[in-house]
């Protein structure tokens, strides 16, 4: 049984996006989609409802507010599912509410993973449940990741209890140039994927450059078999999408095309491009492609060579969603370096720590710590409270949900982690995790530890994981 | 520099000088707690380490005040040196899909000390590694080695250190599609090898479709009589019990288990059998049906039950990512603060990535700790070696100081400022 790089990274038909296995993100308004107004733009709507939240305060902890602020011995008060107040030791809190002592501990916004395949490449990793790559053609913008997500994936619970993950984006894999739509979830188990969907989050479009699409289709004697084939197909598809959108905007009779709906949504700015791309030169090609057809790239994912073009990424306002230290598993990952994240950040571009991995998602805080330390050794000294932007605020903005979560600001969702120490230490784990103010994990209470249907009645049910 | 003497070990280059590293926090790797002290290495071997160790006259003194001085990390299970780029097949010597040979395959013939993974792992404090072949055409993958990470061509500490075999789901798949098939295959191969041993002249083993080639039969003899450890990859609790039971039929097998994600469910049986385990540290997902009971408490629970347990990185990006070894050990210490979880104390966690994997393969007298007489594999760390923010600052293998530069540091230095200067980046070195 190989982990993602070991196998999936190399066998893309079964694998996610690292297979074979990103600035200031565009602020995306959550206005209703302007395209496809003729048709229902939200046919699989979120039914997520926050769980009951008792008014709760945490007192005495070091608070990293997510946007670069740091408060020593601070107070966070949440009620009604929202951050009600946040401040220093003297911040008033009501009497008669649950108060947690955070002395010696840290409070942060919940971690947000912009690149996950939980649910579409779930555990157990069996063919019957591998639903992340519609590798039947290189252009598949008509598929939606949410239609593959198995809400019983045990991985969601591990991401919660060990990783402090409160929201995450589930992407299709990278076998295709156009992999399909992503879905943004709250990390709260539900009977249906609709019950996990982050209300009002914009869709993303997964695109992929490089080795995976050309290998998958080239090996079948189909286009694309080369990088120039990748680009040619991309250009042809976008040209058609521009035509389709023109027709829609004219308001005449248009035959509905589910694939084109997605691309028109991108051109209208309603759907965010999440672009799997490793190499600097290829990212530059994709930037020009986006300008040729008039769309915006929100983030490059994996982006192991962002450090080579950090200036270009800053100039174009594109985020890089990166690993701390993955490298070398294929040619396009050959030049990955552990200073990538701090170098991108230091150039003034947007840096995000991502997982792409059901194990890595449990330790994104540690990955950020490794990147921080690698940068420091290279002379780039970034404070912890600034580095935390890589884990919640930047990904939230790049997922179009930064106005509601990703930082501890009054009025935002109370997606909060109380860590039992400094989260940049290997010895620290989440002690409690609140999502919309509801206590969803408590290390001291086995009843606050989710057990998915799959694990019920199996060896290890309800164990500490 | 001179070539050292062998005796089951291939030539390492002893360094004919005495080095005393003073002023640091010393982690010996034998399970003892870190202490303020000194480490003395002479002629490539450790003389003494710990509190109250005197600096010998004439020794070159290295000041490690404020630092940690620790035994080099032993990657407990890896494929280091066998792969340059996983997805580039000609550079990937982990497995051979289309050969008639199996047990006789010797990874030493595929090792390449120049692959970037060696230098990169060295820069993360790894000085020795257990290197195993990958099974493809047969459940018998072949003979693994223990290497050093000096990057020298003669970096094999012990060639043919063990035979590696797949049981469980992977073994079943390779052996024809079921667990009974894998057990039948195992017993049959050992029986064939015995036939060969009884009458080599009368044994076929020459035709392409022979069940077992002569060389493979020969390679299995030291396994049967216990002169060579048999390292078995097995994950599920029930499968582990069936592997332990092989010794009723083959009493001399020197079993070592790797993977063992569900080891905790049968920990008492493993302990009673006296079989060492090299386990994946943080598996906690039901990644397959043989890992339903996965939990990060696996290693802690096995150790509490008396199992000799260490950390390896089987099928965990093992050609490149043993660099995560110290992080994994640190995570097991983190578990000691989680109600209901079982972790390891710091000293046990550090031993699990130094002396314990060495002992599992019978090399504890040679590598894996700073006890007197061991190879002089020493790392000066900026801080606690298990903490993710720490890094090696100086490193010795066999008493010889090693470079910590890598392809990655070269790329980093070239692109600290991404813009071109007076000439293209290609001129910038």
């Amino acid at each position: 049984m190989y982990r993602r790089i070991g196998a999936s990274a190399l066998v893309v038909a079964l694998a996610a996006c690292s297979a074979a296995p990103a600035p200031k993100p565009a602020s995306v308004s959550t206005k209703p989609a302007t395209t496809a107004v003729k048709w229902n733009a939200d046919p699989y709507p979120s039914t997520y409802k926050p769980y009951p939240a008792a008014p709760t305060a945490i007192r005495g902890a070091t608070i990293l507010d997510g946007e670069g602020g740091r408060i020593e011995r601070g107070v966070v008060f949440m009620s009604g599912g929202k951050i009600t107040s946040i401040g220093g030791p003297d911040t008033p809190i009501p009497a008669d509410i649950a108060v947690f002592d955070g002395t010696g501990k840290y409070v942060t916004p919940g971690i947000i993973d912009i690149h996950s395949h939980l649910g579409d490449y779930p555990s157990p990793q069996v063919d019957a449940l591998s639903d992340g790559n519609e590798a039947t053609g290189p252009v598949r913008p008509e598929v939606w990741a949410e239609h593959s997500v198995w809400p019983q994936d045990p991985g969601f619970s591990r991401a919660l209890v060990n990783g402090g993950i409160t929201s995450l984006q589930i992407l299709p894999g990278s076998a295709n140039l156009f992999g399909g739509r992503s879905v943004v979830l709250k990390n709260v188990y539900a009977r249906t994927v609709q019950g996990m969907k982050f209300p009002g989050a914009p869709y993303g479009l997964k695109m992929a450059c490089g080795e995976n699409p050309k290998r998958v289709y080239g090996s079948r004697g189909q286009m694309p078999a080369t990088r120039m084939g990748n680009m040619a197909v991309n250009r042809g598809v976008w040209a058609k999408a521009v035509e389709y959108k023109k027709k829609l905007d004219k308001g005449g009779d248009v035959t509905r095309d589910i694939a084109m709906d997605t691309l028109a949504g991108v051109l209208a700015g309603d759907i965010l491009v999440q672009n799997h791309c490793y190499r600097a030169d290829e990212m530059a090609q994709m930037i020009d492609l986006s300008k040729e057809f008039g769309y915006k790239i929100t983030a490059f994912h994996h982006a192991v060579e962002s450090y080579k073009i950090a200036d270009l990424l800053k100039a174009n306002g594109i985020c890089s969603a990166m690993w701390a230290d993955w490298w070398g598993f294929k040619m396009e990952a050959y030049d990955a370096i552990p200073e990538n994240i701090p170098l991108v950040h230091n150039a003034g571009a947007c840096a995000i720590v991502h997982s792409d991995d059901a194990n890595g998602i449990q330790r994104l805080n540690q990955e950020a710590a490794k990147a921080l330390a690698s940068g420091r050794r290279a002379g780039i000294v970034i404070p912890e409270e600034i580095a935390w932007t890589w884990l919640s605020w930047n990904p939230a903005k790049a997922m179009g949900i930064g106005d509601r979560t990703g930082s501890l600001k009054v009025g935002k969702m109370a997606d909060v982690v109380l860590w039992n120490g400094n989260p940049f230490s290997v010895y620290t784990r989440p002690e409690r995790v609140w999502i919309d103010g509801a206590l969803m994990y408590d290390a001291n209470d086995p009843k606050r530890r989710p057990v998915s249907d799959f694990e019920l009645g199996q060896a290890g049910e309800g164990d500490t994981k | 520099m001179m070539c050292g003497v062998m005796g089951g070990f291939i030539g390492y280059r002893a360094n004919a000088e005495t080095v005393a590293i003073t002023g640091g926090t010393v982690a010996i790797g034998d399970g003892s707690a870190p202490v303020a002290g000194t480490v003395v290495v002479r002629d490539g071997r450790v003389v003494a380490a710990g509190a109250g160790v005197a600096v010998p006259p004439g020794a070159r003194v290295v000041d490690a005040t404020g630092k940690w001085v620790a035994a080099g990390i032993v990657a407990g299970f890896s494929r280091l040196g066998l792969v340059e780029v996983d997805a580039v097949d000609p550079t990937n010597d982990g497995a051979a899909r289309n050969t008639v040979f199996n047990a006789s395959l010797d990874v030493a013939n595929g090792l390449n000390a120049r692959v970037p993974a060696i230098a990169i792992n060295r820069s993360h404090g790894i000085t020795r590694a257990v290197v195993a072949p990958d099974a493809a055409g047969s459940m018998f993958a072949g003979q693994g080695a223990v290497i050093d990470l000096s990057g020298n061509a003669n970096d094999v500490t012990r060639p043919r250190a063990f035979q590696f075999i797949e049981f469980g789901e992977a073994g079943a798949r390779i052996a024809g599609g079921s667990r009974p098939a894998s057990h039948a295959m195992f017993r049959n191969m050992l029986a064939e090898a015995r036939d060969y041993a009884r009458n080599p002249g009368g044994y076929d083993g020459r035709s392409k479709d022979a069940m077992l080639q002569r060389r493979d039969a020969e390679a299995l003899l030291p396994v049967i009589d216990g002169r060579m450890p048999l390292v078995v990859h097995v994950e599920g609790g029930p499968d582990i019990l069936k592997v332990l039971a092989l010794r009723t039929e083959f009493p001399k097998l020197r079993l070592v288990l790797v993977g063992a994600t569900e080891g905790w469910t049968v920990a008492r049986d493993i302990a009673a059998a006296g079989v060492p385990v090299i386990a994946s540290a943080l598996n906690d997902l039901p990644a397959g049906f043989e890992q339903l009971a996965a939990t990060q408490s696996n290693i802690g629970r096995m150790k509490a039950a008396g199992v000799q347990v260490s950390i390896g990185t089987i099928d965990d990006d093992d050609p490149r990512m043993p660099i995560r070894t110290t992080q994994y050990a640190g995570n097991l210490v983190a578990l000691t603060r989680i109600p209901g979880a079982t972790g390891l104390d710091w000293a046990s966690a550090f031993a699990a990535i130094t002396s314990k994997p060495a002992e599992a393969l019978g090399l504890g007298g040679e590598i894996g700790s700073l006890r007197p007489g061991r190879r002089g594999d020493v790392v000066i760390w900026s801080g606690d070696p298990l903490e993710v923010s720490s890094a090696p600052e100086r490193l010795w293998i066999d008493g010889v100081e090693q470079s910590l530069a890598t392809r990655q540091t070269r790329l980093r230095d070239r692109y600290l400022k991404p813009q071109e200067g007076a000439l293209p980046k290609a001129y910038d070195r």
Side-chain angles (χ1 to χ4, degrees), chain A residues 2-3 5 124-125 158 162 326-327 329 334-336 362 366 370 377 420 425-427 429 463-464, chain B residues 84 87 134 283-284 286-287 294-296 301 317 320 324 327 331 337 346 384 386-387 389 407-408:
Chain A
Y2 275 89
R3 295 213 179 149
I5 305 193
Q125 298 170 12
R158 311 301 194 266
N162 292 326
W326 289 24
W327 65 279
F329 43 97
Y334 199 55
D335 285 4
Q362 302 179 48
Q366 294 175 30
K370 287 191 281 188
R377 287 190 291 272
N420 68 5
S425 166
V426 75
Y427 303 123
R429 291 290 175 95
D463 200 355
T464 51
Chain B
E84 173 101 29
D134 201 352
N283 283 4
D284 66 358
T295 168
Q296 294 181 21
R301 290 174 185 168
D317 312 325
R320 289 164 290 97
R324 298 189 186 117
Q327 182 182 4
N331 271 277
R337 299 170 55 214
W346 193 97
D384 171 358
L386 305 188
E387 185 55 271
S389 54
R407 264 195 93 242
Q408 294 180 324

Side-chain angles (χ1 to χ4, degrees), chain B residues 77-124:
Chain B
F77 186 98
S78 82
R79 278 147 183 149
L80 282 171
L82 295 178
V83 179
E84 173 101 29
V85 181
D86 308 52
V88 178
D89 205 49
T91 74
N92 188 330
D93 285 305
R97 236 157 266 296
N98 303 307
T99 174
V100 296
F101 300 105
N102 46 61
S104 64
L105 297 174
D106 180 351
V107 290
N109 294 322
L111 289 169
N112 177 1
R114 297 179 187 171
V115 299
I118 295 288
I120 289 170
N121 277 268
R122 184 171 69 234
S123 77
H124 284 76

Side-chain angles (χ1 to χ4, degrees), chain B residues 258-295:
Chain B
V258 298
T261 296
E262 290 190 342
W264 70 274
T265 64
V266 293
R268 271 187 297 188
D269 301 87
I270 302 172
V275 170
V277 177
I278 304 171
S280 303
L282 300 183
N283 283 4
D284 66 358
L285 289 158
F289 280 85
E290 59 185 0
Q291 299 184 40
L292 292 181
T295 168

